[in-house]
């Protein structure tokens, strides 16, 4: 089955002029349950179509707490198109079309055309990965379009694995120890070679950012250099009456009082010097709707949800900028004071 992208429009259509029908019924089944039944009548056009990606996306809720739950990242969708001789799906059933596919929280760029799909095995865009010393490597793979992988150190295989196809899920993750300097993944497109560069950062406290990338997989990247945290406050205020019934007041009382004080924390992270192909990684990071930050403490890692605060990105090249590095500002996706009710 193909992988259909849900963040870009996906249309299913029928030429009613060929069938001679006057109405069509769409029955959309998501994760094994009938989710929608929609009827359209033929009026002025022979072509009747349905945009279904937004409907399906309501059923895909991606979470992350340190280990990606692969079933959260994809679902199986099928549809039935029934053409009827009368309007409002009445009369004789003339024809029936059916199809099934995987649906993932991915998107295509405008220049890639409408109704984007993918059958790639390696579900990232970068072939060079910068990994933190003493940290394992995790990569998203389309388990139905890849068969096996080998991890190399100095040209020698030291770790290998295979993928198991699934009728219900798309993603499986390669997890490799920190020793690897190269990965070779066998996919339906051929052998994919991934170069791994290990960074031993001694001066700054690194952070790991995990985000849902363009192909719908959870992708990790490290920010190795300086970080800077900040706090912003929103509040309301009012003027209080502190006069007593005798016309006197206590000078320690607040006349101007604050209430509904809300704090939001932000953090600015610097990547360090990276390969120029990381321009695409940062592009996808800014376009992602689900991002998490892992504070690497050396004891128990702390994972928090964050949102990208940057609204623009100037692409850098090694020719123009000598060395490629980025500083990105993130906002923690919750208020500083616990106000969940």
């Amino acid at each position: 089955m193909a992988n259909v992208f849900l963040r870009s429009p996906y249309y299913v259509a029928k030429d009613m002029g060929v069938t001679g029908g006057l109405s069509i019924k769409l029955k959309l089944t998501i994760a094994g349950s009938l989710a929608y039944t929609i009827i359209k009548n033929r009026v002025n056009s022979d072509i009747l179509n349905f945009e279904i990606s937004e409907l399906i996306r309501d059923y895909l809720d991606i979470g992350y707490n340190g280990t990606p739950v692969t079933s959260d990242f994809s679902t199986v969708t099928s549809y039935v198109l029934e053409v009827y001789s009368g309007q409002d799906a009445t009369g004789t059933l003339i024809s029936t079309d059916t199809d099934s596919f995987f649906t993932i929280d991915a998107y295509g760029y405008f220049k890639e055309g409408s109704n984007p799909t993918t059958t790639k095995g390696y579900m990232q865009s970068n072939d060079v990965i910068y990994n933190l010393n003493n940290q394992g490597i995790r990569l998203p793979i389309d388990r139905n379009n890849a068969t096996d992988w080998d991890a190399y150190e100095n040209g020698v295989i030291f770790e290998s694995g295979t993928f198991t196809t699934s009728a219900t899920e798309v993603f499986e993750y390669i997890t490799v120890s920190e020793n690897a300097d190269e990965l070779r993944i066998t996919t339906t497109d051929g052998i994919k070679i991934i170069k791994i560069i290990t960074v031993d950062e001694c001066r700054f406290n690194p952070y790991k950012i995990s985000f849902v990338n363009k192909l719908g997989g959870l992708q990790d990247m490290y920010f190795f250099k300086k970080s800077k945290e900040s706090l912003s406050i929103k509040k309301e205020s009012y003027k209080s009456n502190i006069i007593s019934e005798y016309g006197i007041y206590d000078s320690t009382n607040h006349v101007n009082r604050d209430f509904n004080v809300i704090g939001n924390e932000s953090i600015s992270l610097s990547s360090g010097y990276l390969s120029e192909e990381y321009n695409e990684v940062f592009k996808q990071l800014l376009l992602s709707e689900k991002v998490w930050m892992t504070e690497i403490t050396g004891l128990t890692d702390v994972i928090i949800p964050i949102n990208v605060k940057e609204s623009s990105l100037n692409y850098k090249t090694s020719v123009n900028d000598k060395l490629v590095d980025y500083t990105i500002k993130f906002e923690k996706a919750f208020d500083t004071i616990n106000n969940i009710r």
Side-chain angles (χ1 to χ4, degrees):
M1 290 191 292
N3 299 329
V4 170
F5 295 175
L6 295 182
R7 287 188 62 188
S8 292
Y10 187 80
Y11 296 91
V12 295
K14 186 71 174 179
D15 188 344
M16 305 293 284
V18 174
T19 64
L22 294 181
S23 64
I24 190 168
K25 178 191 288 186
L26 168 70
K27 293 187 287 189
L28 194 62
T29 298
I30 303 171
S33 299
L34 180 63
Y36 298 95
T37 300
I38 304 172
I39 297 173
K40 281 188 175 183
N41 291 325
R42 178 183 173 190
V43 182
N44 297 319
S45 175
D46 287 340
I47 307 296
L48 293 184
N49 61 59
F50 300 84
E51 200 286 295
I52 62 175
S53 61
E54 285 291 335
L55 302 176
I56 304 167
R57 200 165 183 236
D58 289 340
Y59 286 78
L60 201 64
D61 187 17
I62 295 174
Y64 174 64
N65 61 2
T67 301
V69 179
T70 54
S71 58
D72 288 350
F73 285 78
S74 63
T75 189
V76 176
T77 299
S78 62
Y79 69 82
V80 177
L81 284 176
E82 297 177 342
V83 178
Y84 289 87
S85 60
Q87 293 209 342
D88 301 321
T90 61
T92 303
L93 177 61
I94 298 175
S95 67
T96 301
D97 292 348
T98 64
D99 197 7
S100 297
F101 38 79
F102 292 110
T103 46
I104 56 179
D105 198 44
Y107 57 88
Y109 295 136
F110 176 81
K111 63 183 180 182
E112 294 174 321
S114 60
N115 284 12
T117 60
T118 183
T119 54
K120 293 182 179 180
Y122 175 58
M123 302 296 271
Q124 287 189 188
S125 300
N126 53 311
D127 297 339
V128 176
I129 294 174
Y130 290 81
N131 188 49
L132 178 65
N133 189 34
N134 296 322
Q135 296 292 317
I137 300 162
R138 179 177 60 200
L139 297 176
I141 303 296
D142 182 344
R143 63 196 303 168
N144 300 306
N145 286 286
T147 57
D148 56 74
W149 58 271
D150 296 309
Y152 289 77
E153 182 183 15
N154 298 323
V156 178
I157 297 176
F158 75 91
E159 198 170 353
S160 298
T162 59
F163 303 106
T164 304
T165 58
S166 172
T168 59
E169 295 181 9
V170 170
F171 290 98
E172 189 172 326
Y173 288 83
I174 294 177
T175 54
V176 192
S177 67
E178 67 274 10
N179 299 317
D181 55 35
E182 183 179 284
L183 276 173
R184 296 183 185 179
I185 307 166
T186 305
T187 74
T188 53
D189 296 326
I191 303 295
K192 188 71 173 178
I193 299 177
I194 312 299
K195 182 180 180 181
I196 300 169
I197 300 173
T198 299
V199 177
D200 191 1
E201 180 54 57
C202 301
R203 182 179 179 186
F204 298 99
N205 182 35
Y207 290 84
K208 181 172 74 173
I209 298 298
S210 304
F211 65 98
V212 179
N213 65 18
K214 174 179 181 285
L215 297 176
L218 187 73
Q219 179 168 347
D220 299 325
M221 67 176 299
Y222 287 94
F223 285 75
F224 297 100
K225 297 302 179 181
K226 182 174 66 175
S227 62
K228 184 178 180 181
E229 296 193 61
S230 59
L231 173 68
S232 62
I233 299 295
K234 295 179 182 178
K235 59 184 177 181
E236 300 178 66
S237 62
Y238 68 96
K239 189 176 292 291
S240 176
N241 181 9
I242 63 172
I243 298 285
S244 73
E245 61 268 32
Y246 298 104
I248 60 176
Y249 59 87
D250 184 348
S251 61
T252 62
N253 279 344
H254 291 73
V255 177
N256 299 319
R257 299 193 179 187
D258 293 335
F259 72 104
N260 285 345
V261 179
I262 298 174
N264 297 104
E265 293 176 287
S266 299
I267 184 168
S268 180
L269 301 178
S270 296
S271 66
Y273 298 122
L274 306 172
S275 167
E276 189 177 321
E277 69 175 57
Y278 262 70
N279 282 335
E280 175 63 24
V281 178
F282 280 98
K283 177 181 179 179
Q284 294 180 24
L285 172 61
L286 264 67
L287 290 171
S288 181
E289 295 183 347
K290 289 288 185 74
V291 186
W292 294 266
M293 180 177 71
T294 302
E295 299 176 357
I296 303 170
T297 63
L299 299 172
T300 301
D301 292 343
V302 179
I303 300 170
I304 61 172
I306 57 175
N307 296 316
V308 181
K309 204 168 183 181
E310 303 289 346
S311 58
S312 63
L313 181 71
N314 293 319
Y315 299 123
K316 298 184 178 183
T317 65
S318 57
V319 174
N320 295 332
D321 301 285
K322 304 301 181 185
L323 295 170
V324 175
D325 68 314
Y326 285 98
T327 298
I328 304 294
K329 191 169 186 179
F330 302 91
E331 185 175 67
K332 296 180 181 180
F334 50 85
D335 294 334
T336 303
I337 297 174
N338 179 12
N339 53 15
I340 305 298
R341 292 182 173 86

